[in-house]
Amino acid sequence: MVLVEVYEPYFEKMNRSFGFRPNKSCHDAITALKQNETIGLNTAIEGDIQAAYDNVKKETILNLLGKKIQDNRFMRLIKKRLDYDSVDAENNQRVVPTLGIPQGGIDSPYLFNIYLLELDEFVQNDLQLYLKELNESNESKGFKPSGKHAKPSNPRRSSGGKYKRRLEAVGRLKRTSPDSWRAQRKDIEKEIKFYKHRLNSMQYYDLSLQRLRLFYVRYADDWILLTNRGTHIAETIKAKIKDFLWEKLGAVLSDKKTIITNIKKKTAHFLGFEIRRQAKPRLMKVEGGQRRIGTFPLTISPDKQRLINRLHIKGFCDKKGSPLTIPWLSSLEPTVILERFNSSIIGLTQYYPERISRPSEIARWIYILRYSCLKTLAQKFKTSLSKIFIRYGTDRWSRSTLTVAFTVSLTVGAKPMKRNGNLKHTNQ
């Protein structure tokens, strides 16, 4: 409680850390990534700290706490909390480790957040200053980007006016030489089609003239940083963060798990979500035709492979995502089986749809759970899926509400009662 009262104003001011804080969750971190500030940021650095809790230097975290807390009694309490002992398996003796935060304590996650607050401040202050110096250096060379984007590059300044003039000239030949007119017009139309294709594949802006920007979000020891420049700048930022963590905090940035991704070509992964940017431009209807839009927010979707792995571990499907029977559940009552599967379906529908860009993307995982339930029921009654639908189906001719329902008779005391249950659907 004391740590929260002291440090929450600092965390709230930075608004970049969302793990293990009051009224904060991974959903808040994902919502932060959907802000307009991330528009135009195409390169992601997925960061991870190696053995994060185990390698924390106790002396470092006490020094960090001492900057803002002057109460000696409280500092002695924290020091005692950090000086936990454990049993050495080789010598069978109790020792006090010099590194690490005791995991499982109610204060441990928040102490680790305080430890990495230094990283948040480094990114928001030092790295932003580094980017500012690069921007000023580019401006001193004659590049003058304005706002979030630079001026249009030369290839985009060309227009299709020359093709229009050529078509008008060919049109004048229509009466005098109709055969020649058709052939020339056909050739020009092919050139126009190729020109439009080439134009749509061009960048709206010269990337080398863009003002450098970054956006950073952290959840415990996992963090992601987005920038609008290519791999070379991302590698420099990664190296600076790695050096800072080692020199200032004694932490090691995991090279294996810290990945640089072009999110226009591949997806970045963060907190069980996939993050990517739409590679092709959108077209918006305006007066007189359509207008190309090159700026749009990130696309957030569930981490498909992670969900497949989770469902496979729990027995709902195989490694490829095909629904499976859960034999040990088939010995239970039908309504209990439905409750088990409904709890998983409800969990998915409450966790993902409000945070992802296309809520319909969870339909695949609902399908796995539903048909795993139906296969389990078919094994219980020693029948086929089609006969389960025929015998227990409700509104089984409608694909949007296709489900099954069961009624079980119970005797509570001397009073007969009925228990109803039906398999949840995404529309329910």
Side-chain angles (χ1 to χ4, degrees):
M1 291 171 62
V2 172
L3 292 173
V4 169
E5 289 297 325
V6 173
Y7 280 93
E8 267 308 296
Y10 296 98
F11 283 118
E12 196 64 34
K13 182 180 179 181
M14 296 289 294
N15 199 29
R16 286 295 173 265
S17 173
F18 298 94
F20 305 111
R21 287 180 53 205
N23 303 317
K24 300 292 182 182
S25 67
C26 59
H27 288 158
D28 296 297
I30 296 300
T31 302
L33 289 173
K34 297 171 72 173
Q35 296 178 16
N36 290 336
E37 294 179 45
T38 61
I39 292 176
L41 306 183
N42 302 321
T43 304
I45 306 174
E46 307 167 48
D48 185 84
I49 298 175
Q50 185 174 324
Y53 281 78
D54 297 333
N55 290 332
V56 174
K57 290 184 177 180
K58 299 179 181 180
E59 182 181 356
T60 301
I61 197 166
L62 288 172
N63 291 335
L64 294 175
L65 290 172
K67 292 180 180 180
K68 295 181 172 64
I69 299 177
Q70 307 301 323
D71 190 329
N72 292 330
R73 290 181 300 173
F74 184 78
M75 293 298 294
R76 286 196 296 270
L77 172 64
I78 295 297
K79 188 176 186 303
K80 289 180 179 179
R81 288 282 299 128
L82 294 174
D83 287 339
Y84 65 97
D85 58 354
S86 58
V87 178
D88 189 346
E90 295 181 357
N91 303 324
N92 198 25
Q93 295 180 351
R94 303 192 73 86
V95 297
V96 179
T98 58
L99 297 175
I101 294 178
Q103 297 190 43
I106 59 172
D107 55 347
S108 299
Y110 207 82
L111 283 171
F112 186 75
N113 260 345
I114 296 170
Y115 181 69
L116 284 189
L117 179 60
E118 297 293 309
L119 174 62
D120 302 342
E121 292 176 346
F122 172 76
V123 173
Q124 290 301 103
N125 298 328
D126 295 48
L127 279 184
Q128 291 286 8
L129 181 61
Y130 167 70
L131 295 187
K132 182 180 179 182
E133 291 174 354
L134 287 180
N135 289 328
E136 291 175 352
S137 175
N138 287 338
E139 290 181 12
S140 67
K141 296 176 183 178
F143 303 142
K144 295 183 178 181
S146 59
K148 294 182 179 179
H149 303 287
K151 58 185 178 181
S153 58
N154 289 332
R156 293 291 309 176
R157 294 178 187 173
S158 60
S159 64
K162 62 178 181 179
Y163 295 108
K164 184 178 180 181
R165 291 190 293 271
R166 286 177 61 186
L167 285 173
E168 290 175 353
V170 171
R172 289 193 285 270
L173 300 175
K174 185 174 182 180
R175 295 183 179 179
T176 56
S177 53
D179 295 335
S180 175
W181 169 76
R182 289 191 181 91
Q184 291 187 43
R185 184 177 180 86
K186 191 174 181 180
D187 292 340
I188 294 174
E189 286 176 348
K190 286 183 179 179
E191 290 184 30
I192 292 174
K193 186 176 181 180
F194 175 75
Y195 165 77
K196 289 182 177 179
H197 174 75
R198 184 171 63 88
L199 194 64
N200 286 333
S201 64
M202 288 181 182
Q203 292 286 346
Y204 255 151
Y205 299 94
D206 188 348
L207 295 180
S208 64
L209 302 183
Q210 281 187 334
R211 185 179 295 279
L212 282 167
R213 296 185 294 124
L214 62 80
F215 191 87
Y216 162 83
V217 170
R218 179 174 65 83
Y219 188 93
D221 61 324
D222 293 323
W223 53 269
I224 187 168
L225 189 148
L226 303 172
T227 181
N228 61 334
R229 197 60 68 87
T231 306
H232 60 293
I233 290 292
E235 289 285 0
T236 304
I237 292 174
K238 175 183 173 181
K240 286 182 175 293
I241 293 176
K242 183 177 181 179
D243 293 341
F244 169 81
L245 287 173
W246 176 248
E247 295 171 4
K248 184 73 175 180
L249 302 177
V252 179
L253 188 68
S254 174
D255 288 325
K256 184 178 180 180
K257 295 184 179 180
T258 303
I259 305 169
I260 296 175
T261 308
N262 182 348
I263 56 176
K264 293 182 71 174
K265 297 180 180 179
K266 296 181 179 180
T267 57
H269 300 85
F270 187 58
L271 303 179
F273 292 85
E274 290 183 353
I275 300 166
R276 64 183 183 274
R277 181 168 300 288
Q278 186 174 338
K280 295 182 179 180
R282 294 189 303 177
L283 295 177
M284 184 177 71
K285 291 184 178 180
V286 296
E287 290 187 22
Q290 293 180 330
R291 182 166 66 88
R292 180 184 177 189
I293 302 176
T295 56
F296 37 85
L298 295 174
T299 301
I300 310 293
S301 59
D303 190 333
K304 300 177 180 60
Q305 190 57 50
R306 182 175 178 177
L307 273 176
I308 286 287
N309 293 341
R310 291 286 179 87
L311 294 177
H312 171 61
I313 290 172
K314 294 183 178 181
F316 294 119
C317 65
D318 60 16
K319 292 183 179 180
K320 295 183 179 179
S322 299
L324 296 176
T325 301
I326 301 183
W328 67 271
L329 278 178
S330 61
S331 61
L332 303 177
E333 291 184 359
T335 54
V336 177
I337 295 174
L338 293 180
E339 286 177 359
R340 294 291 183 97
F341 282 92
N342 282 339
S343 62
S344 298
I345 293 174
I346 292 171
L348 276 176
T349 55
Q350 290 182 348
Y351 186 81
Y352 282 108
E354 294 184 4
R355 274 72 192 183
I356 60 180
S357 302
R358 301 181 182 92
S360 59
E361 289 187 348
I362 67 165
R364 166 65 178 166
W365 323 113
I366 303 298
Y367 161 80
I368 292 174
L369 292 170
R370 281 173 49 79
Y371 274 81
S372 176
C373 178
L374 293 170
K375 286 187 174 184
T376 303
L377 291 170
Q379 177 173 318
K380 177 179 179 59
F381 293 105
K382 297 180 174 57
T383 184
S384 63
L385 289 180
S386 59
K387 291 182 179 179
I388 287 290
F389 277 119
I390 292 173
R391 184 174 179 183
Y392 302 104
T394 59
D395 197 12
R396 63 191 183 91
W397 303 113
S398 172
R399 290 185 177 271
S400 61
T401 58
L402 182 65
T403 187
V404 294
F406 291 87
T407 301
V408 177
S409 300
L410 302 172
T411 302
V412 180
K415 187 176 181 181
M417 302 184 70
K418 290 185 178 181
R419 185 178 183 181
N420 299 321
N422 68 301
L423 182 61
K424 294 291 183 184
H425 193 276
T426 52
N427 290 344
Q428 293 178 335

